Amino acid sequence: MPTDSGDPFPTAVGPTLAEAGEESRTGPDYSQPSSIDALTDPVLHALATRRSISKVDSETPSDSDLREIIRIISSVADHKALKPWRFVIIRGDDRLRLGAALDEAAGVTRAPGEVNTKPLRAELLLALVASPTPHPKVPEWEQHATAAGAGHLLELALWQAGWGVMWRSGTLTNEPAVRRLHRLTDSELLMGWFYIGAVPERYRARLTTSTRPLPDPDQFLDTL
């Protein structure tokens, strides 16, 4: 019969929970074949084939098309449905205003008639603004993640609709002159611009013959 030692917290015998967990770790189990087919599922195919197109042609989606795409991507995972993002359409001479703001932020002075041509690399730019709302259960970083998720869904939706997209940012993105141009509040964060246009035929030809593999998923997976 066991004897009561009088110690209400006797020393544990055997491995601790942490030690037992380490001993039992085996990693993911890949023995069951995958039922996922990215070739026949259009959504998965778009995910697998998406590419950033650095030089797009001049044709662009209309503002009505953009409105419909924004409506669709609002399904992004969004804790408490705060919708902590917004987009700003930049076309025509507004691109020159963006170039001037970037020059002001960089302290660049150009000769008369010269302009910053970087925002002119596409006829349509869409700025993504993270616009968090104070909430006791949803920290700001989580709302920034939601806004970034909306940006990634935007890229995928445009790609699936046949458009080329390049998400650009840089060290000047949230400098005062650039923030003023986008009418940001103190709590908002500019997360860059999507340069949008038609995919050039030379890119389409390369995409059909591309053999660039997707990264090994094992580097992104583990178990507790």
Side-chain angles (χ1 to χ4, degrees):
M1 183 174 181
T3 302
D4 185 354
S5 65
D7 185 355
F9 304 106
T11 302
V13 178
T16 65
L17 182 61
E19 292 169 340
E22 284 298 314
E23 291 175 359
S24 64
R25 283 185 74 247
T26 58
D29 178 9
Y30 300 125
S31 60
Q32 183 175 350
S34 173
S35 61
I36 303 299
D37 187 350
L39 294 177
T40 59
D41 186 295
V43 175
L44 297 179
H45 185 68
L47 287 167
T49 60
R50 188 210 65 82
R51 297 291 185 272
S52 294
I53 306 298
S54 59
K55 295 180 180 179
V56 295
D57 282 347
S58 59
E59 184 183 0
T60 68
S62 67
D63 288 353
S64 296
D65 289 339
L66 289 177
R67 184 178 185 276
E68 180 62 11
I69 285 176
I70 299 303
R71 185 185 71 81
I72 292 169
I73 69 168
S74 64
S75 64
V76 65
D78 179 11
H79 192 186
K80 297 298 182 181
L82 299 177
K83 300 294 184 286
W85 73 88
R86 60 185 178 89
F87 290 99
V88 181
I89 298 172
I90 304 173
R91 296 185 187 270
D93 288 348
D94 285 343
R95 297 173 300 153
L96 298 176
R97 295 173 62 204
L98 173 56
L102 290 169
D103 281 349
E104 181 182 345
V108 172
T109 301
R110 299 184 185 273
E114 290 186 354
V115 299
N116 187 332
T117 60
K118 287 185 177 180
L120 305 182
R121 289 177 289 189
E123 294 292 324
L124 167 64
L125 280 63
L126 204 59
L128 170 59
V129 178
S131 187
T133 300
H135 195 286
K137 293 186 178 181
V138 189
E140 187 175 85
W141 70 261
E142 189 175 343
Q143 297 186 51
H144 285 172
T146 296
H152 285 291
L153 283 186
L154 174 77
E155 278 198 304
L156 288 169
L158 287 167
W159 180 258
Q160 179 65 4
W163 299 106
V165 188
M166 185 76 175
W167 189 349
R168 301 179 185 274
S169 59
T171 57
L172 303 176
T173 303
N174 279 279
E175 288 297 305
V178 182
R179 292 178 60 83
R180 284 197 304 272
L181 179 68
H182 294 79
R183 302 185 301 279
L184 301 190
T185 66
D186 290 343
S187 65
E188 290 184 321
L189 180 73
L190 182 57
M191 304 189 81
W193 303 268
F194 297 89
Y195 286 61
I196 304 166
V199 180
E201 285 303 320
R202 65 184 183 278
Y203 275 90
R204 291 192 182 278
R206 286 167 53 186
L207 289 170
T208 58
T209 59
S210 175
T211 58
R212 187 180 78 176
L214 292 171
D216 184 349
D218 285 352
Q219 65 183 296
F220 311 118
L221 282 170
D222 201 352
T223 62
L224 291 178

